Amino acid sequence: MKLPKVIILGRANVGKSTLFNRLLERPKAITSAIAGTTRDMLVGPVYWQGYNFELIDTGGIDTIVPSKKLKKLSPDLNIDFALDIIKKTQAALAEADLILFLVDLQDGLMPQDRILAQAVKKFKKPILLVANKADSVKMRERGADFYRLGLGEINFVSAKNGGGTGDLLDEITKNLKKQKKVRKGKKYEFPKAIRITIIGKPNVGKSSLLNSILGEERVIVSPIPFTTRESIDTNFIYKDQNYSLVDTAGMRKHAKEGGELEKASVAKAIANSRNSDVCLLVIDVSQPITVQDNRLTQLLLDEQVSIIMVANKWDLIEAKESKTSDRYKAYINRNFPYLKWAPIVFTSAKTGKHVHDILDLAEEVYNGRHIKLNKNALSKFLKHALKKQKPSSSRLFLHPYLTNFKQIRTNPPIFEVQVRKKDVLASSYLRYLENSLRAKFKILGTPIKVNLKLGSDKTEPTKARKFIGRGAKKVKKGAL
């Protein structure tokens, strides 16, 4: 089902992201008083009075004006960076079915509003003029100046408080119905997708990796650290499988270096990893692994997420031989010994090498994370594992007697094995069971846990030994 596209457009800091969040009824975009917080386009579904449409929040600068005028308006702006945003916004405008042109009543009519209005008219798309921060009658009275833009009637809203947003949604659906772009129906449910979050330090190539996977320039790539402030959701299909790819803000060693906005971005990145099916932990393979890389792995471990290690910038490694990847893999495993279960992919986001291997792996990891094993399969597994390696005993204790091995949850998989109250089972044997489960059932890139449950002492093995002092003798079943 193709939804009509409604795009929010306006100069920097007029409240586009606040309005976006309000209409979506959930805080997807980060909002702040800092101009240019939103640098990529965010997309979200809206359902209103039986109608569905797709809402797009654009970059927070004076967006589609020519570079010379833009430089005059904002002398300190990085023009190359700005033009990248312009390019993306222009592409979105070309596909839009309706434009919400947002202005700020508090600031009044600004030169940037005039230039932007002139530019947007050239796209010949239906436009709704929306005046934000209409929190009082006095503020609404200031809206008369905006009629000079020639964009028709003004829709007054307070994105922060929600005032007027219901009327605005009515106008949006009315316009889309007039264009025959919508049809009344149930709330559109997007197909179930494997949710993948890209996480890593600043400048390891996360945004470049996302663009390379998609085969297009979906997010802005810049050498400026912390370019990505939003967690960008992108939905797509690969080999008949739906995916949702999320690019997050880079995590510095100390988030306080970037102030409150960076703290919010990092917190959102962690929340996204928690809610993901798979996390791509991106490292710059051309640089030494740092304490910050280790800190990120610990955060992911705490959240019990599934992980694929992406060793990016493989193209920067010179004089590669057949065993070069093995040496680097050993180096990575030495630094992350607790992540040996996570597969490693050597990629180049720049050249696209091995990038789509990530998606094939992600589906395999997803399947392992959601695996459901019945009691019969686990009973056979335990029998085989015990035959291959028995749990250790001592001169004071019998061999622990393991029974009733079962799975108690999925996502991630957690298992349970029962022992007698008097048994002592080493934690190393639980790790052996976890590793054996991975190997037997091909559970890749996902944390597995085997819990120990203490049962009664009534259940005994067929043959047992009774320890008396320093010696031991075999006894018949039931004699203990």
Side-chain angles (χ1 to χ4, degrees):
M1 179 178 177
K2 187 178 180 182
L3 301 181
K5 299 179 187 297
V6 178
I7 187 169
I8 304 175
L9 188 71
R11 61 179 177 81
N13 215 25
V14 292
K16 296 189 297 298
S17 292
T18 306
L19 181 62
F20 179 82
N21 288 342
R22 178 65 63 179
L23 297 182
L24 255 66
E25 297 183 324
R26 58 193 173 103
K28 186 170 183 179
I30 296 170
T31 58
S32 82
I34 301 170
T37 299
T38 300
R39 291 173 172 177
D40 296 295
M41 289 175 293
L42 298 177
V43 181
V46 177
Y47 181 71
W48 180 255
Q49 303 292 347
Y51 297 99
N52 293 281
F53 63 89
E54 197 171 72
L55 190 65
I56 302 168
D57 180 22
T58 57
I61 66 163
D62 305 298
T63 318
I64 57 172
V65 299
S67 58
K68 288 183 180 178
K69 290 184 179 180
L70 188 66
K71 188 66 177 177
K72 187 180 288 187
L73 292 171
S74 307
D76 298 328
L77 190 65
N78 181 324
I79 283 294
D80 290 336
F81 186 56
L83 290 176
D84 208 354
I85 300 173
I86 291 168
K87 183 180 175 183
K88 295 182 192 324
T89 306
Q90 287 175 330
L93 283 168
E95 295 182 4
D97 297 295
L98 178 64
I99 298 166
L100 304 183
F101 191 93
L102 194 64
V103 294
D104 186 340
L105 289 170
Q106 218 169 51
D107 292 342
L109 183 61
M110 303 288 285
Q112 294 96 322
D113 295 318
R114 293 176 181 271
I115 295 169
L116 198 55
Q118 289 173 4
V120 78
K121 285 178 188 177
K122 295 177 182 178
F123 285 87
K124 297 180 180 180
K125 300 280 185 175
I127 301 171
L128 290 180
L129 178 59
V130 184
N132 191 25
K133 305 181 185 178
D135 300 302
S136 65
V137 175
K138 187 177 180 180
M139 290 300 295
R140 285 171 178 257
E141 289 173 352
R142 300 180 66 175
D145 284 347
F146 290 100
Y147 283 109
R148 298 178 190 175
L149 296 175
L151 297 177
E153 291 298 316
I154 301 173
N155 297 271
F156 294 98
V157 300
S158 172
K160 185 176 180 181
N161 301 321
T165 52
D167 292 336
L168 176 60
L169 286 165
D170 286 339
E171 284 298 316
I172 291 171
T173 53
K174 181 181 176 181
N175 193 289
L176 294 174
K177 282 190 287 183
K178 189 177 178 181
Q179 298 182 60
K180 297 182 179 179
K181 295 289 184 179
V182 289
R183 187 181 298 173
K184 203 159 189 175
K186 295 180 180 179
K187 185 175 182 180
Y188 178 68
E189 297 293 338
F190 283 84
K192 171 63 180 173
I194 296 175
R195 186 173 172 84
I196 303 173
T197 295
I198 305 174
I199 201 165
K201 296 185 305 182
N203 274 8
V204 293
K206 298 185 301 299
S207 295
S208 298
L209 181 65
L210 183 144
N211 288 337
S212 186
I213 289 172
L214 297 175
E216 61 180 49
E217 294 182 8
R218 174 61 183 83
V219 295
I220 297 163
V221 178
S222 167
I224 303 168
F226 213 66
T227 298
T228 301
R229 289 174 175 170
E230 302 282 1
S231 294
I232 310 296
D233 292 40
T234 306
N235 296 297
F236 65 100
I237 298 173
Y238 174 74
K239 291 185 178 179
D240 297 324
Q241 172 63 54
N242 291 305
Y243 291 88
S244 178
L245 201 56
V246 186
D247 182 27
T248 61
M251 295 190 185
R252 297 178 183 172
K253 187 172 183 180
H254 300 290
K256 63 183 179 182
E257 291 174 5
E260 292 301 318
L261 181 61
E262 186 162 339
K263 286 181 183 178
S265 297
V266 171
K268 202 156 193 176
I270 294 170
N272 270 297
S273 67
R274 184 185 306 126
N275 297 324
S276 293
D277 297 304
V278 184
C279 270
L280 306 183
L281 179 59
V282 185
I283 62 172
D284 182 348
V285 75
S286 68
Q287 301 294 325
I289 290 172
T290 65
V291 172
Q292 179 62 353
D293 290 310
N294 275 283
R295 180 171 172 267
L296 288 178
T297 64
Q298 290 296 335
L299 287 171
L300 296 182
L301 282 174
D302 291 343
E303 300 298 341
Q304 291 189 304
V305 301
S306 299
I307 300 171
I308 295 174
M309 298 283 295
V310 180
N312 193 31
K313 304 189 182 181
W314 188 237
D315 55 298
L316 298 182
I317 305 300
E318 298 179 355
K320 290 190 283 286
E321 301 172 358
S322 58
K323 294 185 179 180
T324 303
S325 59
D326 291 337
R327 290 200 302 271
Y328 275 89
K329 191 172 288 188
Y331 169 68
I332 292 168
N333 284 332
R334 283 199 304 274
N335 281 272
F336 308 117
Y338 42 83
L339 278 182
K340 287 184 178 179
W341 45 263
I344 301 171
V345 185
F346 294 93
T347 66
S348 168
K350 185 177 180 180
T351 66
K353 189 175 181 63
H354 298 311
V355 163
H356 285 95
D357 292 349
I358 295 170
L359 296 178
D360 294 326
L361 267 176
E363 186 173 10
E364 192 175 346
V365 170
Y366 174 86
N367 291 336
R369 186 173 182 86
H370 294 269
I371 195 170
K372 292 181 181 179
L373 300 173
N374 60 46
K375 198 167 183 179
N376 183 48
L378 289 173
S379 179
K380 290 179 180 177
F381 162 80
L382 181 61
K383 185 177 180 180
H384 182 267
L386 287 168
K387 187 176 180 181
K388 189 175 180 181
Q389 182 179 320
K390 290 182 179 179
S392 58
S393 63
S394 70
R395 300 177 73 178
L396 298 177
F397 298 100
L398 298 168
H399 279 292
Y401 181 59
L402 278 61
T403 186
N404 198 25
F405 193 54
K406 62 183 180 180
Q407 185 172 359
I408 57 176
R409 63 163 282 184
T410 62
N411 191 27
I414 296 180
F415 302 87
E416 181 182 86
V417 65
Q418 185 175 308
V419 296
R420 298 166 302 187
K421 285 183 181 178
K422 63 183 178 182
D423 284 336
V424 176
L425 187 67
S427 59
S428 59
Y429 197 79
L430 292 178
R431 288 195 296 273
Y432 159 71
L433 290 177
E434 290 168 2
N435 292 330
S436 298
L437 280 165
R438 292 184 195 283
K440 171 66 176 176
F441 298 105
K442 297 180 181 179
I443 304 174
L444 186 69
T446 291
I448 293 176
K449 190 174 182 182
V450 177
N451 292 332
L452 197 60
K453 181 182 179 182
L454 294 179
S456 66
D457 288 337
K458 293 178 181 179
T459 306
E460 298 291 345
T462 304
K463 293 182 179 180
R465 290 181 301 165
K466 186 175 181 180
F467 287 82
I468 304 172
R470 292 180 176 274
K473 64 179 182 179
K474 291 183 179 179
V475 294
K476 292 182 180 179
K477 180 181 178 181
L480 292 180

